[in-house]
């Protein structure tokens, strides 16, 4: 969850590192810091709070710069967001600097050991032990990469580490276990970062690092080994297929607004190249042989947060189209309930970042049990796809705002494609049926566009509710996960109590929450689907209205049955029943974003949150 940047080359390292940190600040913003090598020494600056605080510190107290440097933006795990806990951390002699993303689980015993050898540790962090251990190892071996390998062999937990040493000013060394780190390969310069966004202004050639690897970065080249020192034989170089401008705001006030507006293109891009001229599916990137998919007798979806809500919707499609039992599980709970898995279980791990530790650990558990794992991911080269048997990438482009929007819609598209593919491969969906759904999916981009063009009343409504303390969300069938997602958006953006319920649960308790003027958003299923469902939710709307609720109804165009009971009616395009979440979610995203803005909140970087949760 932290942002890490390393640089060695002909430019001013301080400038390159700070520019990279600006692109990574969404990964964590409790503190920031830099260390650069110059004039035979090491200079460092670090400051609690946002990157702007560090930049002010550097303006007030400039540090010298040279060709080599590292930097860090922090999301606090061990130790509060203070100057003393900000990275980089140095050894007592001030010759080594290290930045870290992850958690070192055995740091307490290492800390005790170091103190016993006279080291003076000055922070509450787990990271600081690495600086002292590196200093010790370097003093005996004289090589920073070897020192890093020796230290990494002693660490337990998840870590990305990047370090420099004043005695070797031409090298930056990195290491990774269970946490992201990519190399940017330049011309006479090289980069290390937690995310390619930090260096794509300079190069779009990247190398993904594997598990338990150390990388030695010099101007003239990059050397990758295992923690044991053996040369790495799985170094994969790739070209980053989006440019620096894609990572910018493109004229919008917030990344989230840009990403909401990009959803039609993201949906269309995720379908690209996956449908042949005849309308059949082409998912050969799902590198699990058709024969094995025909053996699958259970699907388990593991994910967190918004990705979990996508998985809840996928469950309806998978069971309806393939007749395979499907469970959707919170990744953080999954492996602790001792799930029943074997080689006939297909586990689908959904993750935008591809680095969510809860989801990564869940898929590892699944693979240990013999299950096959298919990742649905938006980040090329990230850990979750690398550790899965197959991956279906969403093509949403970089999603920078912490609150996930376009990634969610493209996760849904990917889930529908997987469900259809399973049906196609197993013969539970005939070709014409697959083509019909694919045709419907191909229209969704335009339908999302239509929704986006009619959002001004939703924004006005959101602003009028800025002083509310709570908003409830109701839905049935695939509208229930949409209600959960709408509530999550409001929680994480407006810092407001918001809760999603299955509408049928209302009378089993939650209806006690209804009182005069409580805003309740109701996601209404299509009357063309299970009409009984539609009738029941109309009854639910009447029940809450009778108790004073202010009803905000999301319903398909032409659904006149709900109009008399809607204080606010938000009409969405008519879509097939299972695809409705693709259009019903968008008003809820806009609603939450606008209400948060009206409250003066930091929309792209909500408090306490980070874009990628790389700790359990
Ligand atoms: C969504 O708005 C949240 N930022 C969060 O719930 C997120 O969906 C969750 O942490 C999973 O992240 P991932 O998709 O990168 O695995």
């Amino acid at each position: 969850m932290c942002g890490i940047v390393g640089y060695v080359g002909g430019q001013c390292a301080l400038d390159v590192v700070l520019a990279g940190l600006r692109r990574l600040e969404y990964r964590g913003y409790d503190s920031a810091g830099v260390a650069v090598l110059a004039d035979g020494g090491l200079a460092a600056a670090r400051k609690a709070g946002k990157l702007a605080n560090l930049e002010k510190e550097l303006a007030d107290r400039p540090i010298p710069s040279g060709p080599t440097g590292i930097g860090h933006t922090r999301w606090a795990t061990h130790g509060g967001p203070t100057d003393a806990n900000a990275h980089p951390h140095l050894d007592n002699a001030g010759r080594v600097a290290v930045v870290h993303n992850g958690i070192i689980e055995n740091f307490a015993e290492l800390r005790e050991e170091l103190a016993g050898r006279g080291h003076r540790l000055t922070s509450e962090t787990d990271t600081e032990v690495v600086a002292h251990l590196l200093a010790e190892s370097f003093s005996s071996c004289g090589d920073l990469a070897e020192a890093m390998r020796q230290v990494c062999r002693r660490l337990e937990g998840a870590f990305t580490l990047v370090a420099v040493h004043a005695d070797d000013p031409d090298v930056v060394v990195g290491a990774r276990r269970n946490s992201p780190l990519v190399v940017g390969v330049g011309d006479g310069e090289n980069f290390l970062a937690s995310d390619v966004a930090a260096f794509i202004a300079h190069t779009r050639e990247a190398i993904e690092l594997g598990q338990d690897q150390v990388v030695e970065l010099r101007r003239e080249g990059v050397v990758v080994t295992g923690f044991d020192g053996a040369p790495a034989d799985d170094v994969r170089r790739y070209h980053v297929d989006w440019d620096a401008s894609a990572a910018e705001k493109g004229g919008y006030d917030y990344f989230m607004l840009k990403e909401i507006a990009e959803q039609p293109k993201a949906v269309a891009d995720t379908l690209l190249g996956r449908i042949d001229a005849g309308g059949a599916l082409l998912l050969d990137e799902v590198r699990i042989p058709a024969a094995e998919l025909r053996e699958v007798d259970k699907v388990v979806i593991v994910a967190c947060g918004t990705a979990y809500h996508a998985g809840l919707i996928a469950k309806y499609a998978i069971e309806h189209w393939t007749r395979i039992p499907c469970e959707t599980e919170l990744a953080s709970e999954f492996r602790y309930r001792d799930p029943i898995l074997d080689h006939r279980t297909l586990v689908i791990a959904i993750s935008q970042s591809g680095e969510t530790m809860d989801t990564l650990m869940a898929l590892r558990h699944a693979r240990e049990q013999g299950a096959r794992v298919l990742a649905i991911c938006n980040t090329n080269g990230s850990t979750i796809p690398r550790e899965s048997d197959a991956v279906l990438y969403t093509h949403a482009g970089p999603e920078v705002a912490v609150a996930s929007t376009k990634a969610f819609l493209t996760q849904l598209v990917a889930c529908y494609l997987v469900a259809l593919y399973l049906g196609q491969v197993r013969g539970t969906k005939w070709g014409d049926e697959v083509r019909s759904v694919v045709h419907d999916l191909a229209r969704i981009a335009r339908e999302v566009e239509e929704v986006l063009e009619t959002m001004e009343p939703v924004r006005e409504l959101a602003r009028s509710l800025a002083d509310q303390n709570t908003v409830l969300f109701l839905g049935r069938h695939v509208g229930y996960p949409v209600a959960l997602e709408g509530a999550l958006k409001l929680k994480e953006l407006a810092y407001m109590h918001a809760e999603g319920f299955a509408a049928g649960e209302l009378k089993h308790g939650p209806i006690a929450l209804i009182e005069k003027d409580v805003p309740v958003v109701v996601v209404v299923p299509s009357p063309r689907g299970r009409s009984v469902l539609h009738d029941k939710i109309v009854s639910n709307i009447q029940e809450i209205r009778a108790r004073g609720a202010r009803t905000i109804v999301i319903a398909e165009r032409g659904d006149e049955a709900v109009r008399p009971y809607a204080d606010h009616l938000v009409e969405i395009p008519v879509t097939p029943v299972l695809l409705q979440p693709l259009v019903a979610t968008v008003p809820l995203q806009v609603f939450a974003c606008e209400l948060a803005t009206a409250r003066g909140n930091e929309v792209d970087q909500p408090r306490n949150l980070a874009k990628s949760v790389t700790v359990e």
Side-chain angles (χ1 to χ4, degrees), residues 373-571:
V373 178
L374 167 65
I376 290 178
C377 185
N378 192 48
T379 309
N380 190 309
S382 57
T383 306
I384 286 174
R386 194 167 46 247
E387 298 205 11
S388 300
D389 296 293
V391 55
L392 192 64
Y393 280 111
T394 52
H395 297 154
E399 185 177 74
V400 177
V402 167
S404 188
T405 50
K406 61 178 183 174
F408 176 67
L409 257 55
T410 56
Q411 286 162 358
L412 289 180
V413 171
C415 288
Y416 292 134
L417 290 176
V418 169
L420 282 173
Y421 185 66
L422 283 169
Q424 177 176 294
V425 161
R426 299 163 63 93
T428 53
K429 270 286 186 201
W430 301 118
D432 59 336
E433 294 171 308
V434 170
R435 278 191 290 278
S436 167
V437 178
V438 162
H439 173 72
D440 291 331
L441 278 172
R443 291 176 44 238
I444 288 292
R446 179 70 204 107
E447 287 161 356
V448 171
E449 199 76 67
E450 278 175 39
V451 174
L452 290 169
E453 288 161 1
T454 60
M455 286 293 99
E456 196 41 46
V458 171
R459 291 188 192 93
E460 284 167 25
L461 173 63
R463 289 192 290 269
S464 73
L465 296 175
D467 298 331
Q468 279 296 325
N469 295 318
T470 185
V471 177
L472 306 181
F473 293 76
L474 302 182
R476 282 185 180 264
H477 196 254
V478 289
Y480 167 41
V482 173
L484 295 177
E485 175 59 12
L488 175 62
K489 284 285 154 305
L490 208 53
K491 277 186 265 219
E492 65 177 332
L493 289 163
Y495 315 151
M496 178 192 274
H497 171 251
E499 203 161 343
F501 302 102
E505 272 299 288
L506 208 57
K507 54 190 167 306
H508 300 288
I511 201 164
L513 291 170
I514 304 299
E515 55 191 16
K516 184 158 173 38
D517 290 338
V518 165
V520 182
V521 176
V522 186
V523 181
V524 177
S526 167
R528 296 167 299 104
R530 296 278 176 83
S531 59
V532 66
L533 270 182
H534 180 269
D535 298 346
K536 288 182 186 304
I537 211 159
V538 172
S539 302
N540 296 143
I541 297 173
Q542 291 170 305
E543 286 157 15
I544 59 176
R545 215 153 178 275
R547 289 163 176 78
R550 186 172 173 186
T551 55
I552 303 162
V553 175
I554 316 279
E556 73 177 34
R557 207 169 293 135
D559 184 351
E560 292 307 315
V562 297
R563 190 177 295 276
Y565 314 110
D567 293 311
H568 305 272
L569 179 60
V570 180
E571 294 187 295

Side-chain angles (χ1 to χ4, degrees), residues 304-307 350-354 356 402-404 411 488-489 492 613:
C304 303
T306 287
I350 305 175
S351 175
Q352 186 285 130
S353 63
T356 298
V402 167
S404 188
Q411 286 162 358
L488 175 62
K489 284 285 154 305
E492 65 177 332
V613 183

